[in-house]
Amino acid sequence: MHETDLCHPERAQRVEGPRLATRVQARSLGCARDDGSRPSQVSKACLLIGMLLIAGCASDLSPYLGDPDDARRVEPLELTTRPAKTATTQPTTQPAGRTVELTLSAARRIALANNTNVGIAEIDPQIAAAGLSVEQGAFEATFGVDARYAKQDSPFINQTIFSPDGSGDTSVVRVQGGQLDALTIDPSLTKPLRTGGQVRVTAPIDRVETDQGRLLNPQWEQDVRVSISQPLLRGFGSDASELGIRIAATEVAAARQRLKVTVVDTIAAVDRAYWQLWSARRAVEVREEQLQLVGEQLERAQRRFRAGSTGELEVVRAESAQADATEELVAAVGQADRAQRALRDLMSVRLESSPFAVGNSSALEPSTKAAAVPYSLEPRKLVTMAMQRRGELAEARVAELAEQARLLNASREAYLPRLDVFYEWGVNGLGGDYDGAVDQLGSGDFQDQTIGLTFEQPLGNRVRRQQLRQSLLRRAQRLLDVRRRQEIIKREVYDACEGIDTGYERILAARQRVATAERLLAAEERQVDAGATSSAELLESQRNLASARLSLASAISQYEIARVDLAAATGTVLGKAGVVLE
């Protein structure tokens, strides 16, 4: 037989030569079919190169990079001028729009409904709750199906086998090649266990049909296998398997505390802005009254100058005082506008037609009266209350609890090797059709069992020992953070208590100052009317009265703000009604 005959399948099917002994010499020759249906190697290479080029194309980053020219250019601001006012023009103290009265409770309610910081903080607990659900879903059962179909057409590989006795007899055997149709469907159900292991049930179905000689062709296999794997040392128990759930739960608690902190801070900011606006409105009233008194003195000086009973100096002095009062009134109006915008910004109303929107021209008039009453404070009790209600401290404690869970797991995992046990039981079914395979499977005659152990111990164990050290240091850091926050809260409570005590004393002193300034101004007016003194002392008395009234308004405003600071320091809000977060 010539070697060229080995390339022909019909000849290779004949087996020639005597029966061979166990010891043989073999020589393999490979031949491929060449029927003209095989794609060329060039076309395959081109297809592969094209796929690589498509996969390697870079994505367009221009939407993310933005316009580079815009980042390099700073445009100038061009303002349009208008005709200047004359020196005799009176300042505009009344707002262009209508006046809207606003209570403190209404300002709080609007801010809680519209403030963007509160809106952002409200989403955090929902995100954290979704993360907790994700971690809890780790113990859900998973159903999957792996289905594959393969169609193979392999070339023949024939072997020429020589007789070991040296007689020269040979035989040709086709050892590989032919056509194959294979279908595999592998459904599975996997259930993770809270002990750290998992249970898996599979029922693979295989169908194989080939042109090779087989007893069953096609051949169907239907098996059922149940396996369980369980760590015995490292990774065992709920401390390891539920670590992610516990950390996610602390994130939910921390997000809720951050929302509470945001609400308390927002209410405190609204209260402070409200009383600052109240003080600014009182300042405008004081400056208007001062300008009115100066105007009356100017008219008085002008009448007396025309009557010849006084000199021109008195008129000039009154005009100078009027100019000063006008400038101070303009400054007070500007300060009130800024305080009004600050309050509107906290309320964050986006509807421009609303009187509470930032761009609205309506004037906000605080209608809640200031308390300005003394309080009997007990700082130690207030500190205890703050330690229980401050959201920042609760958040720090939650973070420390998360680190404690990590430390517990790290301490268990640091020095334990990995030792996992595996057990699998299966029953097999085989047949010429699917029903036959299922019938044999139901008989339970062919069963498999497998048990095994997996052991692993890193040499040196440096990674896990350092992870334990990191957990220890992080927990120590969290404990120090809790202590630091306690010290800050304690100081804030004592500062707020002192602010309330000194603030009320300041109010009493400012009231006395106002009463004294009013009496002094009345005496100076009588002296000027009698011609016993010049108007310089009168104008100075008017300025002193305005300063005293401004000081009283500032003292009352700062006293209310000190009460706000005490409420914020204790994690509460002022008033008889609290806030319920839904």
Side-chain angles (χ1 to χ4, degrees):
M1 179 180 293
H2 299 286
E3 291 182 356
T4 55
D5 296 336
L6 302 179
C7 298
H8 299 279
E10 64 276 7
R11 297 182 181 179
Q13 293 177 0
R14 296 196 306 269
V15 180
E16 300 180 2
R19 181 173 298 180
L20 304 179
T22 306
R23 186 184 180 119
V24 296
Q25 296 177 355
R27 183 163 57 92
S28 300
L29 295 176
C31 298
R33 296 182 179 180
D34 191 5
D35 54 3
S37 62
R38 181 181 57 186
S40 66
Q41 299 296 329
V42 176
S43 61
K44 290 182 179 179
C46 293
L47 178 61
L48 179 60
I49 293 174
M51 294 176 64
L52 291 175
L53 289 177
I54 294 174
C57 292
S59 58
D60 184 15
L61 298 180
S62 57
Y64 307 96
L65 294 175
D67 185 6
D69 294 334
D70 181 68
R72 290 194 297 263
R73 184 174 58 250
V74 179
E75 300 292 348
L77 175 63
E78 298 181 4
L79 301 178
T80 304
T81 61
R82 66 176 182 179
K85 294 182 178 180
T86 61
T88 57
T89 303
Q90 294 295 327
T92 302
T93 61
Q94 296 297 328
R98 61 190 180 93
T99 300
V100 178
E101 291 188 352
L102 178 65
T103 63
L104 181 58
S105 60
R108 289 178 175 180
R109 184 172 60 254
I110 295 172
L112 290 179
N114 300 280
N115 188 271
T116 53
N117 290 331
V118 176
I120 293 172
E122 283 178 336
I123 300 176
D124 285 341
Q126 302 176 43
I127 296 175
L132 176 59
S133 297
V134 170
E135 293 295 335
Q136 290 173 332
F139 293 103
E140 291 181 349
T142 303
F143 175 76
V145 177
D146 183 8
R148 299 182 184 184
Y149 173 74
K151 184 178 180 65
Q152 299 178 1
D153 190 2
S154 302
F156 298 133
I157 298 178
N158 302 323
Q159 287 185 334
T160 300
I161 304 176
F162 297 90
S163 175
D165 56 4
S167 61
D169 295 330
T170 61
S171 63
V172 179
V173 180
R174 187 176 64 180
V175 297
Q176 185 177 351
Q179 297 179 349
L180 175 70
D181 285 346
L183 174 64
T184 300
I185 302 176
D186 189 3
S188 62
L189 181 65
T190 304
K191 177 67 170 87
L193 304 176
R194 294 186 181 270
T195 58
Q198 73 171 14
V199 176
R200 181 178 175 86
V201 180
T202 61
I205 304 173
D206 292 319
R207 179 190 180 277
V208 178
E209 184 176 1
T210 180
D211 60 353
Q212 302 298 312
R214 282 197 177 188
L215 181 62
L216 297 177
N217 195 20
Q219 174 180 298
W220 286 85
E221 292 186 42
Q222 173 67 75
D223 302 336
V224 173
R225 303 188 182 279
V226 180
S227 63
I228 180 171
S229 60
Q230 175 62 51
L232 301 179
L233 296 177
R234 185 193 305 167
F236 174 79
S238 59
D239 289 337
S241 64
E242 296 182 359
L243 179 61
I245 296 178
R246 296 175 184 179
I247 299 301
T250 60
E251 288 295 331
V252 174
R256 291 172 178 172
Q257 292 299 330
R258 286 194 296 270
L259 173 58
K260 179 181 178 181
V261 170
T262 303
V263 169
V264 172
D265 291 345
T266 301
I267 292 178
V270 170
D271 289 358
R272 295 187 186 100
Y274 186 89
W275 293 115
Q276 288 170 356
L277 176 60
W278 180 89
S279 177
R281 291 294 185 210
R282 303 295 81 75
V284 171
E285 294 176 358
V286 170
R287 294 305 183 184
E288 289 177 343
E289 184 179 358
Q290 180 186 7
L291 182 60
Q292 182 180 359
L293 293 176
V294 172
E296 293 175 357
Q297 173 57 25
L298 177 59
E299 293 177 357
R300 185 186 298 113
Q302 289 174 346
R303 288 195 304 269
R304 297 183 65 182
F305 174 72
R306 287 193 295 269
S309 58
T310 186
E312 186 180 2
L313 178 61
E314 295 294 323
V315 177
V316 175
R317 185 179 287 128
E319 290 176 347
S320 176
Q322 186 183 45
D324 293 341
T326 301
E327 180 185 3
E328 292 167 346
L329 177 57
V330 171
V333 171
Q335 181 64 30
D337 291 340
R338 288 189 291 272
Q340 180 175 259
R341 281 193 296 273
L343 180 57
R344 278 180 165 144
D345 181 67
L346 290 171
M347 291 189 291
S348 302
V349 177
R350 290 175 290 277
L351 185 61
E352 292 296 333
S353 60
S354 172
F356 307 113
V358 174
N360 195 277
S361 60
S362 300
L364 300 181
E365 179 61 36
S367 58
T368 299
K369 296 182 179 180
V373 295
Y375 293 94
S376 178
L377 303 176
E378 298 183 19
R380 292 185 178 180
K381 291 184 178 180
L382 292 173
V383 168
T384 302
M385 178 191 303
M387 297 302 176
Q388 298 172 352
R389 299 181 180 178
R390 281 290 290 266
E392 298 94 331
L393 184 58
E395 182 183 357
R397 287 170 175 164
V398 167
E400 187 274 328
L401 186 61
E403 292 301 333
Q404 182 179 353
R406 291 190 180 98
L407 177 59
L408 177 61
N409 183 68
S411 61
R412 289 173 51 87
E413 301 283 319
Y415 299 102
L416 291 178
R418 176 188 174 190
L419 181 61
D420 298 349
V421 62
F422 172 82
Y423 174 76
E424 182 181 72
W425 171 85
V427 59
N428 306 315
L430 182 65
D433 53 20
Y434 183 71
D435 293 338
V438 172
D439 291 340
Q440 190 176 82
L441 177 71
S443 66
D445 295 335
F446 302 95
Q447 299 185 13
D448 299 333
Q449 295 190 53
T450 304
I451 188 169
L453 290 174
T454 301
F455 177 81
E456 181 184 273
Q457 175 61 48
L459 299 179
N461 202 25
R462 176 181 300 178
V463 174
R464 295 191 179 276
R465 287 191 288 109
Q466 293 302 318
Q467 288 176 347
L468 175 59
R469 185 170 182 269
Q470 287 180 341
S471 297
L472 286 169
L473 293 175
R474 280 196 294 261
R475 184 165 185 267
Q477 188 180 49
R478 292 299 183 184
L479 289 173
L480 290 175
D481 183 54
V482 171
R483 180 179 175 182
R484 179 182 64 87
R485 291 177 184 267
Q486 290 175 340
E487 294 172 351
I488 293 175
I489 291 172
K490 184 177 181 180
R491 190 195 69 234
E492 290 178 352
V493 172
Y494 275 96
D495 289 346
C497 290
E498 183 181 1
I500 291 178
D501 292 337
T502 58
Y504 187 73
E505 296 295 332
R506 182 187 171 192
I507 291 176
L508 296 179
R511 286 173 176 172
Q512 183 65 29
R513 181 184 173 189
V514 170
T516 303
E518 289 176 347
R519 294 204 330 259
L520 180 60
L521 177 60
E524 291 292 345
E525 287 177 346
R526 289 193 298 268
Q527 291 289 330
V528 171
D529 291 339
T533 184
S534 65
S535 61
E537 289 78 3
L538 176 62
L539 295 175
E540 183 65 23
S541 298
Q542 291 175 350
R543 284 191 291 270
N544 290 338
L545 178 59
S547 176
R549 288 176 175 172
L550 290 174
S551 180
L552 177 59
S554 176
I556 295 175
S557 174
Q558 292 301 317
Y559 183 73
E560 294 295 334
I561 292 176
R563 295 174 62 229
V564 174
D565 293 340
L566 180 59
T570 55
T572 59
V573 295
L574 291 176
K576 297 181 180 179
V579 178
V580 178
L581 304 178
E582 297 181 356

